[in-house]
Amino acid sequence: MDVEDAIRQACRKWQVREIAADPYGYRRSYKILEDEGLPIVDYPQSAALMTPATQAFREAVMNHGLTHSGDPRLARHISNAVLKVDSRGQRIAKDQKGSSRKIDLAVSAIMALDRASAVPPAYNLLDSVW
């Protein structure tokens, strides 16, 4: 199943408030989905966004404020990630540039928590992120 179909299927199954992801490499898909009326939100993997989002994710995990379904793919991607520290702060990265060890689901989890936290409190999405 391709990415576009997976997103459409998720939107049919759940009440999706927004679809947030890094547009790099997916601009065409985003345009198609947006033209279909799906709620696309750009979320570039910039240090300005990912640094505070990574910190909030770490705090949620350490304070037991976050769980997941036990999906082995997510667990593997989180295990593959390393913490990158530079003058802009801390965020996750691959262990080596060009590594085949994927971290996409870990990045997506960080983005999802960040966007769910940004939704007005009346929606109370934090209880249903996972």
Side-chain angles (χ1 to χ4, degrees), residues 16-126:
V16 175
R17 297 197 188 278
E18 65 181 41
I19 302 160
D22 189 340
Y24 180 77
Y26 287 99
R27 180 58 51 206
R28 179 191 120 350
S29 292
Y30 281 9
K31 179 69 176 137
I32 290 168
L33 295 171
E34 193 170 47
D35 288 349
E36 292 175 12
L38 298 182
I40 303 295
V41 175
D42 284 350
Y43 194 113
Q45 289 183 53
S46 67
L49 290 174
M50 292 304 294
T51 297
T54 300
Q55 182 61 34
F57 187 87
R58 181 186 179 283
E59 288 173 12
V61 169
M62 298 304 289
N63 293 325
H64 304 283
L66 183 65
T67 61
H68 74 86
S69 66
D71 185 306
R73 297 166 299 182
L74 175 59
R76 184 175 60 251
H77 284 215
I78 288 174
S79 294
N80 290 345
V82 297
L83 193 61
K84 176 182 178 177
V85 181
D86 63 19
S87 63
R88 296 177 287 183
Q90 302 177 355
R91 57 199 175 283
I92 67 167
K94 289 185 171 187
D95 59 348
Q96 297 176 2
K97 196 170 192 130
S99 172
S100 63
R101 296 171 48 119
K102 302 290 185 188
I103 65 168
D104 302 58
L105 297 177
V107 171
S108 295
I110 291 169
M111 290 176 173
L113 180 63
D114 186 50
R115 294 305 305 151
S117 300
V119 173
Y123 292 120
N124 200 14
L125 287 180
L126 289 177

